Amino acid sequence: MPSFAPRRRLFAAAVVVLLAGSAVTLRLAFLQLVRHGHYAERAEVNQREREALLPVRGTIRDRDGRLLAQDARTYTIVAEPRRMDDPARTARRIARALRLDPDRLAREFKKRPGFCYVDRNRSPQDAQIVRDSLAAGAWKGLVLSATVRRDYPAGPAPAQITGRADVDNRGIEGIEYQFD
């Protein structure tokens, strides 16, 4: 007489695998269908709150301790005209507040509707104006980001040694390049 023990074990194992698979499938369905909104919102927050850390370049001093080069905190203002209700009107308002040419800014918004620089290397006072307007919801489609600009208080005289950094704060000559 044949033994049914191996068939029973195989049947029991198949039932366990089927139940485990069903549990995983039900959990996935629950997360994707019922909890979708919760996880989509969390993903949006994670993407919005990503912030790049600014690199810090060291100060450069001469042998007597006089400052030759240092970092200066500035701000870059970027526009996404496609997200603005009225790009021409927004360009005029931004230009008036930041003392820029309104016609040039309106042309730039029209030429580059997806992304364009409004201005770079703006002061913290100008950044505060933009921050306040963004908080009030007055200027949709603007992004303010902190940047670092290299400042040379000693002037152009020691430039042969200190070198210089480009607009993106990368060393391109001299000590600035060597220790980039």
Side-chain angles (χ1 to χ4, degrees):
M1 230 168 133
S3 173
F4 291 106
R7 279 195 167 169
R8 283 187 197 152
R9 280 183 285 186
L10 183 62
F11 181 72
V15 168
V16 169
V17 169
L18 181 67
L19 289 175
S22 297
V24 169
T25 302
L26 288 172
R27 179 67 178 165
L28 286 174
F30 172 74
L31 291 175
Q32 291 181 355
L33 299 175
V34 177
R35 301 285 291 169
H36 170 74
H38 169 72
Y39 288 108
E41 184 179 320
R42 283 184 59 187
E44 181 70 28
V45 168
N46 285 342
Q47 291 174 5
R48 249 185 291 142
E49 292 180 4
R50 187 171 295 158
E51 184 175 326
L53 299 176
L54 299 174
V56 178
R57 298 181 69 85
T59 57
I60 300 175
R61 298 179 181 276
D62 68 4
R63 66 180 175 188
D64 296 325
R66 289 185 296 251
L67 188 62
L68 300 177
Q70 67 182 357
D71 282 344
R73 189 166 199 76
T74 61
Y75 295 85
T76 297
I77 305 165
V78 175
E80 298 175 47
R82 188 176 295 142
R83 292 180 44 212
M84 297 175 183
D85 295 332
D86 185 3
R89 180 171 160 244
T90 305
R92 286 191 304 273
R93 292 172 68 195
I94 293 168
R96 188 178 330 115
L98 299 176
R99 299 166 308 281
L100 299 171
D101 179 19
D103 296 329
R104 182 199 64 81
L105 200 55
R107 279 193 311 272
E108 195 71 25
F109 282 7
K110 190 171 246 180
K111 189 166 67 171
R112 293 186 176 87
F115 172 91
C116 65
Y117 285 106
V118 172
D119 206 3
R120 296 176 98 172
N121 296 326
R122 296 302 294 215
S123 70
Q125 294 81 12
D126 290 341
Q128 190 59 48
I129 293 170
V130 174
R131 242 187 245 112
D132 293 343
S133 296
L134 288 173
W139 294 345
K140 292 180 187 171
L142 276 191
V143 177
L144 179 70
S145 61
T147 56
V148 175
R149 178 181 55 84
R150 205 61 171 155
D151 187 36
Y152 301 98
Q160 294 295 320
I161 297 169
T162 60
R164 63 189 175 99
D166 66 5
V167 70
D168 293 320
N169 206 28
R170 289 187 305 246
I172 55 175
E173 290 178 343
I175 294 173
E176 296 280 11
Y177 176 72
Q178 186 176 1
F179 294 107
D180 193 28

